Amino acid sequence: MPEHAGNFIVVLRVVKVLEPITVAISGYDMYLPIPQEGQLVKKRETRWHDLTAIYTFNLDRSAHKALRLLIDRGDTIPPPPEK
């Protein structure tokens, strides 16, 4: 997508639900709706509306570095600069 140009962005698709997904936290606000088989993982745009958006992960941000282990980037994409 144009807004992600120049960034290493990942989205997650739920391929198969192996066990029924239930909410384990009492009073959870469903910021991350229950994933649906075959769909991309989504999040609510705000905590006050039911509008949803595809949940994207920028692997160049330190908060998402653990997800990098899932991706073989090879030598084609340089690592992000150290902060």
Side-chain angles (χ1 to χ4, degrees):
M1 298 180 82
E3 64 268 25
H4 300 298
N7 294 304
F8 192 38
I9 304 295
V10 171
V11 297
L12 302 176
R13 181 177 302 280
V14 177
V15 176
K16 180 104 178 127
V17 175
L18 302 176
E19 295 182 18
I21 300 169
T22 59
V23 177
I25 301 170
S26 177
Y28 181 62
D29 66 0
M30 299 305 291
Y31 179 69
L32 291 175
I34 294 176
Q36 301 297 312
E37 196 167 284
Q39 300 295 313
L40 295 174
V41 174
K42 296 181 180 180
K43 66 177 178 177
R44 286 203 341 239
E45 295 237 352
T46 70
R47 294 194 185 275
W48 302 277
H49 297 97
D50 289 332
L51 301 173
T52 59
I54 296 170
Y55 197 3
T56 59
F57 300 89
N58 183 340
L59 297 191
D60 291 328
R61 292 182 54 210
S62 61
H64 300 140
K65 280 187 178 179
L67 288 174
R68 289 174 150 201
L69 299 173
L70 302 175
I71 309 295
D72 179 16
R73 291 177 20 160
D75 294 324
T76 58
I77 301 173
E82 291 296 320
K83 292 185 177 182

